Amino acid sequence: MAGKPTAEEKKAAKAQKRAASKQRRQQIWQAFQMQRREDKLLIPIMLGVLIAPIVILSLVGFFFFASVTAWTFVVFGVAIGIMAAIAIFGRRVQRSVYGKAEGQPGAAGWALDNLRGQWRVSQGIAGTTHLDAVHRVIGRPGIIFVAEGAPHRVKQLLAQEKKRTARVAGKTPIYDVTVGNDEGQVPLKGLQRHLMKLPRNITAAEMDTLESKLNALGSRSAALPKGPMPQGAKMRSVQRTVRRR
């Protein structure tokens, strides 16, 4: 059995936690400053959702209850207002980030890497020199292929990957999703919600088995960008780099 941590180890652990907490606060503050400059409605909306519950609950408390109980309503109003303001901030930042990433090569892979929950993501298992890509996701629904790029090219990539995978997938359901804004496609910002709505068909243990089998298949991918390409990047240069790799 491991011994109890020494005083120095406890001190180091606390210092590490403080440093991590400080870094998170700095990141949130930086995100707020960036969003505030780009989103002129951010502060008015946050102030509105902060103040509204405080005013409403305060009025309810002081009109219908004794003064001691009324102050409890004020405290609840402050807590609800703060949580609502933080939620609004998070949603507007997320919408801004997805808006900037949408349509850029690598955006779907980046979104998949930010999925919440038990998902096994393999980026770029198939791709072209035009930076079209197919990503594979293993989750409770089964196997999901997520494609990004020109529809006429990714359609063929999807068909090839589904055929290869069906040989080892057995009865596991296989889904395919194409990210985009055309008919029959799923917008980037709605990708996670779309995956979460799929039915649960397999267990966590079956996910592990599937992952081992599919990893053995390997991939036929060209080197693809990790995350959305910066706006203004030269496509020809990127394609030339991909071909060299």
Side-chain angles (χ1 to χ4, degrees):
M1 294 179 62
K4 293 183 178 180
T6 63
E8 290 78 9
E9 290 173 338
K10 289 181 179 179
K11 186 177 180 180
K14 288 181 179 180
Q16 188 175 5
K17 287 182 180 180
R18 284 196 298 269
S21 179
K22 182 179 180 181
Q23 185 178 13
R24 284 194 297 270
R25 290 195 300 270
Q26 289 175 341
Q27 289 172 346
I28 293 171
W29 178 248
Q30 290 170 0
F32 173 77
Q33 293 294 338
M34 291 176 61
Q35 186 67 20
R36 179 179 62 83
R37 287 193 290 268
E38 299 176 2
D39 185 356
K40 301 303 180 183
L41 293 176
L42 177 66
I43 292 179
I45 292 175
M46 288 182 67
L47 286 175
V49 298
L50 173 64
I51 295 171
I54 298 175
V55 172
I56 293 171
L57 289 178
S58 296
L59 291 174
V60 170
F62 284 107
F63 270 102
F64 297 101
F65 298 93
S67 59
V68 176
T69 306
W71 284 108
T72 304
F73 277 80
V74 175
V75 173
F76 279 137
V78 172
I80 293 172
I82 291 173
M83 288 189 293
I86 292 173
I88 289 292
F89 167 65
R91 288 180 181 178
R92 293 183 78 86
V93 169
Q94 184 181 48
R95 187 176 67 178
S96 177
V97 170
Y98 275 90
K100 292 177 181 178
E102 194 164 13
Q104 298 182 46
W110 164 79
L112 291 173
D113 264 353
N114 287 278
L115 286 175
R116 295 189 296 269
Q118 291 184 333
W119 302 94
R120 317 289 171 80
V121 178
S122 298
Q123 284 202 35
I125 60 166
T128 70
T129 56
H130 297 278
L131 303 183
D132 310 298
V134 173
H135 314 287
R136 185 181 64 225
V137 182
I138 302 172
R140 295 295 299 276
I143 303 167
I144 308 108
F145 290 111
V146 179
E148 58 178 325
H152 65 281
R153 291 194 295 263
V154 298
K155 184 178 180 180
Q156 184 178 0
L157 287 176
L158 282 170
Q160 292 172 349
E161 288 306 313
K162 289 175 73 174
K163 183 177 180 180
R164 285 205 321 150
T165 302
R167 299 170 187 167
V168 297
K171 297 181 179 179
T172 304
I174 300 176
Y175 301 88
D176 65 85
V177 177
T178 301
V179 174
N181 295 310
D182 295 334
E183 185 178 354
Q185 297 180 335
V186 176
L188 181 67
K189 63 182 180 181
L191 179 58
Q192 177 166 309
R193 184 167 61 251
H194 179 84
L195 297 184
M196 294 294 291
K197 287 183 177 179
L198 294 175
R200 295 189 172 191
N201 300 307
I202 63 175
T203 65
E206 289 172 321
M207 286 171 56
D208 293 334
T209 303
L210 266 176
E211 187 175 24
S212 298
K213 290 181 179 180
L214 294 176
N215 285 341
L217 282 178
S219 67
R220 301 178 298 107
S221 168
L224 299 168
K226 296 295 183 181
M229 276 181 55
Q231 292 183 354
K234 294 183 178 180
M235 182 65 73
R236 289 183 180 178
S237 297
V238 176
Q239 290 173 341
R240 186 161 54 247
T241 303
V242 168
R243 284 194 292 269
R244 287 173 181 171
R245 292 182 182 178

